Amino acid sequence: MRRKNVNYSKYGYIFTFPFVLAFLIFSLYPILYTAVIGFTDMKGIIPKPIHILDNPFQNFKDLLFDNPSFRKSLINTGLLWITNFVPQMLLALLLTAWFTNKRLNIKGQGLFKVLLYMPNIITASTIAVLFSTLFAYPMGPINSLFQMLGWTDAPVFFLQDKTTARGIVAFIQFWMWYGNTMIVLIAGVMGINPALFESASIDGANGFQTFFRITLPSLRTILLFTLITSMVGGLTMFDIPQLFLAGGPDDSTLTTSMFIYGQAFKGSYMYNRAAAASMIMFLISAVLAGILFYVMRDRDASRLKKIQKQKYRKAAIAAREGGVTHGK
Amino acid sequence: MKSMKRSLVGISTLLVMSSALAACGGNSNSNSSSATSTTAPAANATEAPAKGTGEKVTINLWSFTDEIPNMTKKYMETHPDANVEFKTTVIATTDGAYQPALDQALSAGGKDAPDIFAAESAFVLKYTQGDASSYAANYSDLGLDDQMVKDAGIAQYSVDIGSLDGKLKALGYQATGGAFIYRRSIAKDVFGTDDPATIKNEIGPGWDKFYDAAAKLKAKGYGIVSGDGDIWHPIENSSDKGWIVDGKLHIDPKREEFLDLSKKLKDNGYHNDTTDWTEAWYADMSGSGAQPIFGFFGPAWLINYVMNGQVKDTNGDWAVSEPPTGFFWGGTWLLANKDVTKDDAKKQAVADFVKWVTLDTSETGLQYYWANGTMKEGEQGTKDSVASSVVMSKSNGEVPLLGGQNMFDVFVPANANASGKNLTQYDETINKLWRDQVREYTAGNKDRAKAIETFKQQVKDQLGIESE
């Protein structure tokens, strides 16, 4: 047992220990507690002894089958996420391709990256106020602009229109987060072996080919990361819709997080239903994440594994049959 | 050993991963955990020079503005021999931070529990009649009886809101009975006079007369109010019943009529279609909106704290008259913790302060200072309508913004006409849902029946309250 080199791994555990402790107390315990109270009758501001309901799944059933608002908030959340995520991803990929292209060699990259990331630094409340002021009715900058240009005669009540309201919320999300996605993707591209790009350019690949045949496939794990984090983020969207229009008009920007918050803190104190709704969201996130992992799996690797398995099986069968013939 | 290490690595990466997911994620995540910066409770003690013997009594005071803490300072100045010190905790109501903190402190109890706490109209019922009313002491247990309330001429609505089954638990110092605040120049142009007594009969009583006046104003190119929110407060507060009757959602006919009244305003162009508390609404106060606006519905605080900074060129061109229907809007109530009655010295100290704020009608009582704007020695502060009509009748309420009119002449009857029997602890949420649906209806996105149906559905889904 001679030590050749020092084992540093234990320091890793020591360093992660504070986080693990904080996680156990401040995240894991509340998560488990939430899971439990979803099955109880915990309601009201004054704490009362709580009991498991006669039908433990009553809260879940009420929410899923007897609560149009919750269903509506689910649809809103999905819609807002899709409409902001697709353009966000496309733009981020495009910018990544440009910034990491050795041939273009864009000047002032650092400045651009900072500028594109900027919207993410502004607090959500500021942005919400900014946009509600911009689209104010009957007097506001956008309305004045439209009337000056002669596009409208009377002031338009932008924020009373469901599509416009949703569109603005999706746009804000897109505008705030595409820079962040871009930075992550650029970091991912930096991690790709440069030899690949070199050999591609020697073989005469053009920019498109390089991007689609080398960059994208090598980015798969990073893409998976951005997809998952964005999905979780999208499902828990709260601050912009809450601060911008408080869920209006007609609940068209009510997200599930806002619905959950309302269940617990808007006067009825239905902690149990809020917890049940949270658990439903947890399950939805888990299922979607599972689907994403499956879709983004390494197909070549899994095919290799399959072939390997078949080989083993064949070998085993052959060995058995061989054994049988021997045993004759 | 190796496998154990591997599993450890596995577990810790799992933890890291899951926390990254559980905590704020990346893209398009609107980082809901971005902790809203709550104003940290600022605890500071106002000391009085110790007089007499015995321990100083410490009173924990919870409030959401610095109004009441400033009163404690004045109390100390005027009562040098009071053997108390105040520990004040101020938490703003923004982001809904005040109530949860107060609820926690009340249920925790002990020596740091709030002895005196303030509640505003949006949630006062929770503490006087609703879920948290068991924490509040009865005024009678503090030695403040109903006769004192009568003698001070406290507005009935304020007593109604502060009472549970006839037992008084909270009173305010400010009265928020509403009036109609109108432009003198427009009144002269349309009605030939700006005299409040005449205008009162032009715009009311009742909504029919109000709309007749609106038509007359429109003929001359004026709007009667700025937006439909302006008529909502008087409608809401003059209804016979509140939103909840026997635990079920009840839409009072007068509140249902708001749909039609609001539509009428919009279809005829009687208003500028603004939403209250937006830039366009403020613009109408200075007369710089789409069409000049005749008036606003509001209590004294709207004049003092909102219009005051917005009127600009129209300063002095305003007057108040009694509204077409009595109402109140807003206000702050003072409650005492029921535990203070357990300790005689503390009970006495709390009772003295509460009495000085809410029931003292003398010229050294808080309300006299408040009504006359003499809270600070030697400078003219804001004059405000107060709970006691006795105090108002001997105070001077002449305000330059109103062209020197004595507003108390109008606010004494306005406070008396307000009703406090139609509120519930859910009002804030339900009103928002209701007004959203009314706006959907007036914008033409929905018909009337559909708007009501959606409203009922939303109340059921979001508050768990069934409809009748």
Side-chain angles (χ1 to χ4, degrees), chain A residues 138-139, chain B residues 272 284 288-292:
Chain A
M139 298 159 65
Chain B
N272 280 344
D284 282 335
S288 52
Q291 56 182 350

Side-chain angles (χ1 to χ4, degrees), chain B residues 9-139:
Chain B
V9 171
I11 288 168
S12 40
T13 43
L14 239 174
L15 287 179
V16 172
M17 288 270 303
S18 54
S19 78
L21 299 182
C24 44
N27 324 327
S28 80
N29 174 7
S30 34
N31 195 356
S32 53
S33 59
S34 67
T36 39
S37 58
T38 45
T39 26
N44 46 33
T46 353
E47 293 257 357
K51 284 269 168 83
T53 53
E55 284 283 291
K56 253 198 192 320
V57 179
T58 305
I59 296 179
N60 295 320
L61 171 72
W62 280 57
S63 172
F64 44 86
T65 60
D66 59 359
E67 265 181 16
I68 301 173
N70 287 340
M71 290 176 194
T72 63
K73 293 195 181 78
K74 187 84 184 168
Y75 182 72
M76 289 305 187
E77 283 169 27
T78 50
H79 298 71
D81 50 358
N83 197 15
V84 297
E85 61 171 354
F86 289 96
K87 263 176 75 178
T88 54
T89 305
V90 179
I91 300 172
T93 49
T94 42
D95 312 320
Y98 179 66
Q99 285 185 71
L102 178 63
D103 295 342
Q104 286 289 334
L106 285 169
S107 61
K111 87 176 165 52
D112 292 328
D115 299 316
I116 299 176
F117 53 100
E120 70 174 351
S121 61
F123 53 83
V124 62
L125 285 176
K126 186 169 116 185
Y127 298 95
T128 57
Q129 300 166 9
D131 293 343
S133 56
S134 53
Y135 293 122
N138 294 328
Y139 270 39

